[in-house]
Structure formats: structure tokens, C-alpha cells
Amino acid sequence: MAFRALRRAPTALTTPHFSPAAARPFAGARHFHASRAAFVKVGQPIPDLEVLQEGSPGNKVNLAREFAGAKGVIVGVPAAFSGACSQKHVPSYIQHPKLREAGRVFVVAVNDAFVMKAWADQLDPTHESGIRFLADPAGEFTKALDLGFEAPALFGDTRAKRYALVVEDGKVKSVHVEPDNTGTDVSMADKVLG
């Protein structure tokens, strides 16, 4: 189990009439620490934040507004231009026959807007897919969804887990997060779009 008992540190023994029971009023109680809450859940609203950027830092995108009264998918990736993201994950959406039926599709990565624009131009040069590539430069959107992970040796800083969120009318309809953070299984287009 992910529980561990917490122990209170003893207080200073400087008073002349020290009583261990008085110093530790909760000595008989057991304190437990549970694992932290799970990431984004079905039914949760998309965070209403002005932190995502499209094409350049001045072009802010708010996904809560984009999905108000609309449906679609948010595809989260650990890094633009990485092998699995560029060769497998994002192309699975670009080439999927049901992409148009999915609604609005956004690819989000903890990268800067210029990198995301260059990556979009490489993966979808004609932009015919309609997929929009958004930068989350400080990882604020990713943190609001609790979908970040630390990988300093590989990526240098906090990155997004590989995920896909199906969204309908501003709320999460289904959640597809890779259990190992970077794999390419449950978040692939064939599993998400059918």
C-alpha cells in the first residue's frame, strides 16, 4: 500500500516539569499519509488558463474557451521533435480516417511556441489535418491537469506525460494516459478515436 505512518518529532526537554504525554498530545493517534491525488478525471472542466501559445508567444489560446460548446481531443506529448512523438504518436492522429469526426484537435507540449510551430510545419506542412499545435512554455496547463513528470536526464525539466483527453462541451469525457508516461499505446489515435 502507499501509506506510511508519520511520527511526530519530540519536543525540547527544557521545562522542569516535562510530561511526555503533555508534550505529545496525539501520541496514541496514528497519522497516515496517502498517495497524492490522481491526475485529471472524467467530468473535470478543462482549465481556464491563458497560458498556451500558438505560433508565437503573443498568440494566446484558452482551451476552456475553444471547447465551450464543442468537442475534440487534446493530445499531450513529452517533447516536440522526439522520436516517438514525431514518428508514431502525432502521425497516428494526422493520418486517422476519423480525425474530422473528432472535432477540434490540439497537440500540447511543454516547449516554446517557435519549436511547436516548426514541428507543426514539419509534421503537417499543408496544415490540411486541422490539428493545432500549442506550446505550454512554463508547463502551467500541464500542471493544472496534473499530467507532468520529471525527466531531467532526458528532457531537462518537467514535461507532459503522453496522453489524450477526449473533451465535450468543455469537460473531459475520457482520459487516456500512458502508464509509463512516454509509451505509445493507450493514447494512440486508434485507441482514442476508434
Side-chain angles (χ1 to χ4, degrees):
M1 283 213 222
F3 296 101
R4 65 179 175 168
L6 294 178
R7 210 173 60 117
R8 288 186 170 264
T11 57
L13 304 176
T14 56
T15 57
H17 304 288
F18 174 75
S19 164
R24 297 185 304 150
F26 301 106
R30 291 195 53 148
H31 301 280
F32 290 97
H33 176 269
S35 301
R36 68 187 193 92
F39 45 80
V40 63
K41 293 178 175 45
V42 171
Q44 182 177 330
I46 296 302
D48 188 0
L49 300 172
E50 295 280 341
V51 296
L52 299 173
Q53 303 169 357
E54 185 174 25
S56 74
N59 295 331
K60 303 284 187 187
V61 176
N62 182 323
L63 288 183
R65 287 192 203 130
E66 291 284 340
F67 283 116
K71 68 175 187 171
V73 180
I74 302 170
V75 181
V77 298
F81 290 104
S82 68
C85 299
S86 296
Q87 297 166 9
K88 195 171 180 182
H89 193 216
V90 176
S92 79
Y93 286 88
I94 292 172
Q95 299 162 1
H96 199 280
K98 294 183 180 176
L99 178 65
R100 298 270 184 230
E101 300 167 26
R104 299 174 180 181
V105 180
F106 299 88
V107 173
V108 177
V110 180
N111 283 107
D112 65 71
F114 305 111
V115 167
M116 291 301 285
K117 181 181 183 328
W119 192 40
D121 290 344
Q122 182 189 51
L123 290 178
D124 189 15
T126 61
H127 303 281
E128 286 183 35
S129 73
I131 294 175
R132 294 169 61 187
F133 289 72
L134 305 180
D136 185 12
E140 293 174 79
F141 183 78
T142 298
K143 289 173 191 163
L145 293 171
D146 196 18
L147 288 171
F149 75 102
E150 301 297 322
L154 188 57
F155 297 119
D157 207 352
T158 302
R159 293 301 179 124
K161 297 178 181 186
R162 188 179 311 281
Y163 68 88
L165 303 177
V166 177
V167 181
E168 195 168 292
D169 197 24
K171 293 190 178 177
V172 177
K173 185 176 179 184
S174 65
V175 178
H176 310 265
V177 180
E178 295 296 341
D180 68 352
N181 299 333
T182 61
T184 53
D185 181 28
V186 301
S187 65
M188 297 293 284
D190 61 330
K191 302 269 175 82
V192 176
L193 304 179

